[in-house]
Amino acid sequence: MLSLLLAAAAIAAAPPRSSELRAGPNDSLAGTLLLPSGKSRAAMVIIPGSGPTDRDGNNPAGIKAASYRKLAEALAEKGIATVRIDKRGMFGSAAAGNPNTATFAEYDSDLRAWVDKTRKASGQKCVWVAGHSEGGLVALRAADAPGVCGVVLLAAPGETLGQTIRKQLRANPANAPFLASAEAALTELEAGRKVSVDGMHPALAQSLFNPAVQGFMIELLSQDPSRLATAVRRPMLIVQGGHDVQVGLANGDALKKAAPRASYVLFPAMSHVLSDGPAERAANLATYAEADRPLTAGLADRVAAFVTGAK
């Protein structure tokens, strides 16, 4: 009897199984499959946020929070299989094309490939799509696609990107000298017209209005997350952080208003990188570089409960 109990304990303590997974045309897309030690209760694809954010949730700009890896590991402990992915043209998916010319139609196609691959790898009939930040738009667009169980939105926009950018620009007093020109450029992009960066402040010309990404920005600005949320017919969980200085409370409220049947959870101290952070903006942003800061308590529990049916 004792030997049986020890064997059972050893099985329970077995670590999750991690492996590289590839999908898409010529297997040009790369991701990490993390399977729980036992049979999977559900499966999920984790879609990264904006810019050069990798499959773990890190970014060369100084983000070291590894939010997606920590979430995947916590979900594996609860029997949830995950695939966290590199976007086309980036990191392990560099062979899939130029990331600056990516379109939402291509992201849609890529996600369909990941859903199919994840279903087969996990043995599940359908797969949840979880989008963080800008990745929430991709998740919403795929909500009713074949093989998708439903949607989990993690710190995802509820307002249009134009609304969010304007709020962020106005919130920083240092932007005052070039605020008018930045908003004028934003209006042009919203109208579908590219803008010249001649004479523009370098911080804007090299990032927000970088000519290399203006084509994608025009398409991104045309996306309306609340309209997309209204059309979702499958189960949806909206996760909002109270200390998110990038995607504030108004976004979660807008999504909940657009999709009143969706489940909504607010973690009062959660920041944009899915860990607790201070309310003050500069101190909050500084925590993004803290690799050892834990995932917000209860986040993985809530997500796991939702995708396994205990809503």
Side-chain angles (χ1 to χ4, degrees):
M1 176 65 75
L2 179 59
S3 62
L4 289 175
L5 290 173
L6 291 174
I11 292 172
R17 294 162 288 160
S18 178
S19 62
E20 184 83 356
L21 199 64
R22 304 201 72 89
N26 301 313
D27 283 342
S28 56
L29 301 171
T32 298
L33 169 68
L34 191 63
L35 291 171
S37 56
K39 184 178 179 181
S40 300
R41 302 169 64 202
M44 175 185 294
V45 177
I46 301 175
I47 308 163
S50 62
T53 300
D54 69 16
R55 70 182 81 175
D56 286 343
N58 296 328
N59 187 303
I63 299 177
K64 302 175 183 178
S67 310
Y68 313 151
R69 176 179 58 78
K70 292 173 183 175
L71 178 60
E73 290 171 348
L75 290 174
E77 293 179 0
K78 304 176 190 308
I80 313 300
T82 58
V83 173
R84 54 190 196 272
I85 65 175
D86 286 335
K87 294 184 292 185
R88 64 167 42 230
M90 295 185 184
F91 309 105
S93 300
N98 183 348
N100 293 332
T101 60
T103 65
F104 272 93
E106 289 172 326
Y107 283 154
D108 295 343
S109 176
D110 293 347
L111 186 53
R112 287 194 296 270
W114 278 122
V115 166
D116 185 56
K117 184 65 65 121
T118 304
R119 279 200 324 72
K120 294 174 181 175
S122 65
Q124 296 295 311
K125 292 182 179 179
C126 65
V127 172
W128 294 86
V129 289
H132 176 248
S133 193
E134 182 186 295
L137 294 172
V138 182
L140 282 168
R141 289 170 60 97
D144 295 315
V148 173
C149 309
V151 182
V152 177
L153 299 177
L154 302 165
E159 305 173 320
T160 64
L161 180 64
Q163 291 173 294
T164 299
I165 291 175
R166 286 183 174 86
K167 286 182 178 180
Q168 291 179 350
L169 288 171
R170 293 166 185 170
N172 187 349
N175 292 335
F178 47 85
L179 183 60
S181 61
E183 292 195 347
L186 190 58
T187 298
E188 285 295 292
L189 291 174
E190 287 172 323
R193 297 185 290 267
K194 294 185 177 182
V195 298
S196 170
V197 296
D198 292 345
M200 191 177 287
H201 190 283
L204 294 176
Q206 296 168 13
S207 57
L208 184 58
F209 300 114
N210 188 324
V213 299
Q214 284 189 24
F216 180 71
M217 275 290 292
I218 287 172
E219 188 178 13
L220 183 57
L221 287 163
S222 72
Q223 303 298 309
D224 185 341
S226 289
R227 180 180 58 78
L228 291 170
T230 297
V232 173
R233 294 293 173 261
R234 291 183 179 153
M236 179 161 61
L237 173 65
I238 302 163
V239 179
Q240 177 67 49
H243 287 176
D244 191 330
V245 297
Q246 292 182 250
V247 177
L249 288 171
N251 290 274
D253 292 343
L255 288 169
K256 180 58 177 172
K257 182 178 179 180
R261 295 186 299 111
S263 296
Y264 175 85
V265 58
L266 170 67
F267 291 98
M270 191 176 80
S271 75
H272 193 63
V273 293
L274 311 183
S275 61
D276 286 0
E280 196 275 323
R281 182 180 179 83
N284 184 296
L285 295 173
T287 67
Y288 290 20
E290 297 177 10
D292 58 350
R293 185 169 284 260
L295 205 66
T296 287
L299 173 61
D301 290 328
R302 188 67 183 86
V303 172
F306 183 79
V307 302
T308 56
K311 304 173 187 177

